[in-house]
Amino acid sequence: MAYSEKVMDHFANPRNVGEIENADGIGEVGNSKCGDIMKMYIKVDNDIITDVKFKTFGCGAAIATSSMATELIKGKSINDALKLTNKAVMEALDGLPPVKVHCSVLAEQAIKAAVSDYYKRRGVDPEPIVGNVPECDSCGCGG
């Protein structure tokens, strides 16, 4: 299974790893059955994601997609972050092997889960804005 140089770089040197104390939103997706668990933390100021960090328990592709996803949404508006797709994450990494595509879906879901949490903490129903955020039933891992 061949990984692109960008995937290898983000795996070996992941960006934005860690957690944010007093985060404005935290999203956790994945489950122990598929082995990939992703936790994303966001800090929001005037609808702009000023900081984002992640912790991922999973394979190299899961770590690389988390890292790239955080790079793609940092400094962006919540609306722009919600438009980020797993396809865009994969393209930014110059592709992923088909068996690892579910990792990029998790990264997209982790962002949505963190934004949902951000709205819930403010007493706003996130579903009309973010949509339904599945726990793990749609990542294709069978978990």
Side-chain angles (χ1 to χ4, degrees), residues 7 14 21-23 25 27 30 32 45-47 68 75 79 94 106 125-127 129 131 139 142:
V7 171
E21 264 189 56
N22 305 315
S32 52
D45 189 22
N46 278 329
D47 268 1
M68 180 56 86
N79 280 343
D94 296 334
L106 275 180
D125 178 8
E127 198 158 323
I129 305 159
C139 77

Side-chain angles (χ1 to χ4, degrees), residues 48-51 73-77:
I48 301 294
I49 296 173
T50 55
D51 198 10
I73 67 165
K74 199 172 191 174
K76 299 275 194 314
S77 70

Side-chain angles (χ1 to χ4, degrees), residues 14 18 24 28-29 34 52 60 76-77 95 98 100 105 121 123 128-129:
D24 294 318
E28 187 170 351
V29 295
C34 71
V52 55
K76 299 275 194 314
S77 70
K100 294 296 180 184
V105 177
R121 290 172 185 230
I129 305 159

Side-chain angles (χ1 to χ4, degrees), residues 103-122:
C103 300
S104 60
V105 177
L106 275 180
E108 179 187 327
Q109 287 177 343
I111 292 165
K112 288 182 174 158
V115 171
S116 284
D117 184 51
Y118 165 74
Y119 282 119
K120 282 180 196 159
R121 290 172 185 230
R122 273 145 197 75

Side-chain angles (χ1 to χ4, degrees), residues 11-143:
F11 168 63
N13 309 292
R15 284 56 147 189
N16 308 308
V17 175
E19 50 189 275
I20 298 174
E21 264 189 56
N22 305 315
D24 294 318
I26 301 171
E28 187 170 351
V29 295
N31 69 20
S32 52
K33 282 187 200 146
C34 71
D36 292 326
I37 298 170
M38 222 172 261
K39 199 166 189 178
M40 205 158 286
Y41 303 79
I42 58 171
K43 203 80 175 144
V44 181
D45 189 22
N46 278 329
D47 268 1
I48 301 294
I49 296 173
T50 55
D51 198 10
V52 55
K53 296 214 181 301
F54 78 91
K55 281 186 161 178
T56 293
F57 179 83
C59 66
I63 292 165
T65 55
S66 302
S67 173
M68 180 56 86
T70 60
E71 286 284 275
L72 292 170
I73 67 165
K74 199 172 191 174
K76 299 275 194 314
S77 70
I78 286 177
N79 280 343
D80 284 347
L82 289 174
K83 289 178 193 153
L84 183 70
T85 62
N86 59 319
K87 186 173 182 279
V89 174
M90 284 195 303
E91 283 171 1
L93 287 168
D94 296 334
L96 279 176
V99 69
K100 294 296 180 184
V101 168
H102 73 271
C103 300
S104 60
V105 177
L106 275 180
E108 179 187 327
Q109 287 177 343
I111 292 165
K112 288 182 174 158
V115 171
S116 284
D117 184 51
Y118 165 74
Y119 282 119
K120 282 180 196 159
R121 290 172 185 230
R122 273 145 197 75
V124 177
D125 178 8
E127 198 158 323
I129 305 159
V130 181
N132 183 28
V133 182
E135 288 302 308
C136 193
D137 44 299
S138 71
C139 77
C141 70

